[in-house]
Amino acid sequence: QPIINTSTCIISQLYLHHQPPPTNKMNEMLLLTDQYNLDVVMVTGVKPKHSTEPTSEPMISLKGYQSYTNLDAGSHRGIAIYISNTIYHLVTEVSLNTTYEESIWLNIKLKGKDKLLLGCVYRNPSSTEQNNIKLFNLLQQIPEYDSTHTVIAGDFNYPEIEWTTWSTTKSEEHHSQKFIDACKDTYLHQHTTQPTRHRHGQNEIDYLPGLGISEHACMLFNVTPPPPPQDRPSQSIDTTRVTTLA
């Protein structure tokens, strides 16, 4: 049956610097999928920062899941979306009109005519101005795509943004402000308002801990779309386009 409730986990930094993900780290990820019965796992940083050795899909395969990666696209850090075999038949790949460096987009069939656009995005902290503009343009395509629901997650590396106030510590011309403007222009909603990276000496983060010794927390959330229009009361307002930026 088409899914209505999807359990999703976003994991940052599968690799640490030169090292491939150790077996125990992959085992931790597998334990997470079992413990929380995850339908979707989105991962950023699947390639090491400073390594000449190529990363192949078998190295990061996850039992019970089909993987979608950008490893063959000349990516810098690499991202991956893992889809449970139980819902794999409901998923199709989406090609958006973009040359942005690090993003993967999938479509998941829901009940009736509803469908979920799922995106995993990584933005390098050293991203060029040109690449930043490509990201803004990418976000502006989202309302044009034929989906009833949208979830975007990943690692955007914008520590300057205070999401509780939708403001930045930088000037109005800074790319962090332009990112905020792009989110507002496309009616995206930010659900994660607290830092998701914990460094020594900082306050603890109220999220799942990172894999291994990673400073990046694992984000766990449920996607529960409203019922299709024919199942809703006639007086209800259709607010189906809900987007998560993690």
Side-chain angles (χ1 to χ4, degrees):
Q1 295 296 318
I3 60 171
I4 283 296
N5 186 45
T6 304
S7 297
T8 304
C9 185
I10 175 69
I11 299 172
S12 292
Q13 305 302 327
L14 184 60
Y15 275 76
L16 290 175
H17 304 293
H18 300 274
Q19 294 79 26
T23 302
N24 64 337
K25 185 177 255 193
M26 296 301 296
N27 287 341
E28 282 185 44
M29 190 159 67
L30 188 59
L31 287 173
L32 277 179
T33 65
D34 291 338
Q35 181 178 356
Y36 295 100
N37 192 27
L38 298 175
D39 295 313
V40 179
V41 180
M42 294 186 279
V43 184
T44 64
V46 299
K47 295 168 65 176
K49 289 183 178 180
H50 312 291
S51 176
T52 58
E53 297 296 325
T55 301
S56 63
E57 291 203 23
M59 294 172 62
I60 58 171
S61 63
L62 192 61
K63 184 180 179 181
Y65 290 80
Q66 300 292 327
S67 62
Y68 297 84
T69 76
N70 66 341
L71 296 180
D72 295 332
S75 60
H76 292 291
R77 293 304 313 279
I79 52 181
I81 300 180
Y82 298 89
I83 301 293
S84 171
N85 287 339
T86 58
I87 65 167
Y88 176 64
H89 63 289
L90 301 172
V91 177
T92 55
E93 294 187 69
V94 174
S95 296
L96 297 179
N97 183 23
T98 181
T99 56
Y100 181 73
E101 292 178 348
E102 304 259 24
S103 70
I104 299 175
W105 300 88
L106 302 177
N107 180 76
I108 303 180
K109 178 177 172 54
L110 303 177
K111 188 176 181 181
K113 296 182 179 180
D114 281 13
K115 50 189 176 182
L116 169 69
L117 177 64
L118 183 68
C120 183
V121 181
Y122 175 76
R123 175 187 167 274
N124 194 301
S126 302
S127 177
T128 65
E129 185 63 25
Q130 182 182 19
N131 196 53
N132 290 334
I133 293 174
K134 290 179 181 179
L135 173 59
F136 308 150
N137 293 337
L138 172 62
L139 294 180
Q140 291 171 350
Q141 289 187 52
I142 302 305
E144 301 174 4
Y145 183 75
D146 183 24
S147 66
T148 54
H149 313 277
T150 304
V151 171
I152 306 174
D155 191 352
F156 293 91
N157 282 301
Y158 275 120
E160 308 92 348
I161 296 179
E162 174 52 68
W163 283 111
T164 57
T165 58
W166 284 67
S167 61
T168 175
T169 58
K170 302 296 183 178
S171 69
E172 293 185 359
E173 299 302 317
H174 192 264
H175 51 82
S176 59
Q177 180 61 53
K178 295 178 181 178
F179 179 74
I180 293 175
D181 293 340
C183 292
K184 289 181 177 179
D185 290 344
T186 48
Y187 302 99
L188 302 183
H189 179 73
Q190 173 71 18
H191 290 277
T192 305
T193 58
Q194 299 298 319
T196 57
R197 184 176 184 180
H198 173 73
R199 293 184 174 90
H200 181 70
Q202 293 179 327
N203 294 330
E204 292 293 334
I205 301 173
D206 190 21
Y207 300 128
L208 292 175
L211 299 183
I213 59 173
S214 175
E215 299 171 339
H216 296 264
C218 297
M219 303 296 299
L220 179 69
F221 53 91
N222 288 327
V223 180
T224 310
Q230 62 268 24
D231 296 336
R232 300 178 193 136
S234 59
Q235 69 272 21
S236 66
I237 299 175
D238 185 358
T239 56
T240 56
R241 182 168 294 282
V242 178
T243 299
T244 295
L245 290 172

